[in-house]
């Protein structure tokens, strides 16, 4: 058997904007109509022709190979072409040009709404999907209980799936896709739906599928999950393969590309005359950066951060303090930092007029993931607000930390400090009951 599970050559998909697409109502309709092609068939199409204004290339000239047993993440912004690629590979839609070879039985979990026939019951859909995968009835029966238990839908087995909630639907769809022994599993954003418990189960199951040597393609916006599960990453951008490679550097490059557009990590006013401020203080520069890095570099929850504020103190008789207000994306004030809390010895004496730089150090493992806005205020003589700058800097804290057995979504809370802990074993405390193994002493620091 070949070592290649998927080979894609110059794959392109053109959509006509506004034109009604030929749609298959359900995955079953699509699969039944292309049933013979499921095991493997080559298809060659015409090369893309010139671009028209009512056309959109959802995929353009994408080529790659995936080896058997590889777990590959597909990342990219909204509309990058991730779902289109998975739909082509699962034969739900056809490419406009190019070629996709699939070596092996494909199980897919794409968006909610595909995958099942709405009129059929949960039970019937399990059998139908198994049959489409080429499994015998006895093989499906062997897996049946496991699927039902995983999906937690015992009571609704004989209900048509159109009556399912989206959560139940996705649970069953994932259970079917992962348990019916596909050799290649295509998963699209399943983590967007379902609760934390279910996310955990899915990721655990995907890990198991990968360990069994099966191939997984996983399209996701969840960088924690991608970093945890995948061995390689494809980065799609506007339908093209922007990069493919090792997970960590590719994810970092992707995240960095997103920062440039939305953020103001540095503001500079080189001319004192036109700089914002008043008769006491004028701002020259505010900037946020990872320690040792530059403005615009990626900041993760594990990155210590510097905020630099450069200002001209125009009045030699005034003591100025710099204050920073950190707001999260809900507008909640996370905390305030002030040079007044940690007076700089140089500022104890009468400060000269001139240019100053105050640098605030925000330790690693303090900020939660998400967008932050930092307002800069100046306070004179430790009491009087003298200037509040109205153009904040903002930056994004990314959560890309690999987790073994944990919640993969955003951590709760305004902040997410890693505090020191100690757990001690005191005594068995069970007065004659079963004595458990002592708890390990842990310290997060
Ligand atoms: N049936 C369709 N008809 C017309 N355009 C489509 C159709 N399906 C997708 N597109 C367009 O193709 C492009 C790629 O879409 P696709 O759904 O593959 O992106 P994606 O990377 O999965 O995005 P997301 O992260 O939002 O899921 C988008 O511009 C989208 O609007
Ligand atoms: Mg998508």
């Amino acid at each position: 058997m070949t070592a290649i599970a998927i080979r894609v050559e110059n794959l392109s998909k053109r959509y006509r904007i506004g034109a009604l697409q030929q749609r298959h109502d359900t995955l079953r309709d699509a699969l039944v109509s292309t049933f013979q092609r499921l095991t493997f068939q080559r298809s060659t199409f015409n090369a893309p022709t010139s671009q028209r204004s009512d056309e959109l290339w959802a995929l353009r000239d994408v080529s790659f190979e995936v080896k058997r047993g590889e777990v590959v993440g597909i990342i990219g912004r909204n509309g990058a072409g991730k779902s289109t690629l998975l739909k082509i590979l699962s034969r739900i839609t056809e490419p406009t040009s190019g070629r996709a070879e699939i070596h092996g039985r494909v199980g897919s979990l794409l968006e909610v709404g595909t995958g099942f026939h709405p009129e059929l019951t949960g039970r019937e859909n399990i059998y139908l999907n198994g049959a489409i995968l080429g499994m015998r009835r006895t093989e499906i029966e062997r897996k049946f209980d496991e699927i039902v238990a995983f999906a937690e839908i015992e009571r609704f087995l004989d209900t048509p799936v159109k009556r399912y909630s989206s959560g139940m639907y996705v649970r069953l769809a994932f259970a079917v896709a992962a348990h019916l022994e596909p050799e290649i599993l295509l998963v699209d954003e399943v983590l967007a739906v379902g609760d934390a418990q279910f996310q955990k189960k899915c990721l655990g199951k995907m890990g198991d599928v990968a360990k069994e040597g099966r191939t997984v393609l996983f399209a996701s916006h969840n960088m924690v999950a991608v970093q945890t599960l995948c061995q390689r990453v494809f980065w799609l951008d506007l339908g093209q393969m922007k990069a493919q490679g090792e997970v960590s550097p590719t994810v970092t490059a992707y995240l960095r590309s997103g920062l440039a557009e939305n953020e103001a990590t540095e503001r500079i006013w080189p001319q004192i005359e036109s700089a914002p401020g008043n008769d006491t203080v004028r701002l020259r520069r505010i900037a946020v950066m990872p320690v040792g890095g530059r403005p615009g570099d990626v900041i993760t929850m594990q990155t210590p951060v510097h905020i630099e504020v450069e200002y001209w103190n125009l009045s030699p008789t005034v003591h100025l303090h710099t204050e920073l207000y950190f707001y999260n994306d809900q507008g909640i004030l996370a905390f305030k930092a002030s040079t007044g809390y940690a007076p700089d010895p140089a500022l104890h004496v009468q400060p000269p007029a001139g240019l100053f730089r105050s640098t605030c150090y925000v330790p690693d493992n303090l900020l939660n993931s998400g967008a932050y806005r930092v307002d800069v205020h100046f306070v004179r003589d430790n009491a009087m607000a003298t200037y509040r700058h109205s153009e904040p800097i903002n930056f994004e804290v990314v959560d890309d930390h690999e987790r073994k057995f944990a919640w993969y979504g955003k951590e709760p809370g305004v902040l997410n400090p890693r505090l020191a802990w100690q757990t001690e074993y005191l005594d068995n405390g069970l007065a004659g009951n079963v004595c458990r193994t002592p708890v390990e002493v842990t310290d997060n620091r």
Side-chain angles (χ1 to χ4, degrees), residues 413-430:
V414 177
L415 297 175
N416 189 242
R418 294 288 163 106
L419 303 177
W421 277 83
Q422 195 174 43
T423 303
E424 293 163 274
Y425 178 64
L426 300 180
D427 68 54
N428 83 10
L430 298 170

Side-chain angles (χ1 to χ4, degrees), residues 232-271:
R232 210 146 63 89
V233 168
F234 297 160
W235 169 12
L236 289 180
D237 190 47
L238 297 172
Q240 291 178 315
M241 182 71 86
K242 177 112 173 179
Q244 47 178 310
E246 279 177 52
V247 180
S248 187
T250 313
V251 165
T252 304
Y254 164 63
L255 292 171
R256 185 180 304 215
S257 77
L259 297 182
E261 284 173 15
N262 312 322
E263 301 194 343
T265 50
E266 185 173 34
R267 293 183 193 276
I268 303 174
W269 299 271
Q271 305 297 334

Side-chain angles (χ1 to χ4, degrees), residues 77-84 86-87 111 188-189 219-221:
R77 309 238 183 107
N78 297 116
K82 303 180 294 295
S83 300
T84 303
L86 292 182
K87 282 183 197 163
E111 68 222 15
D188 194 357
E189 275 299 11
S220 180
H221 289 279

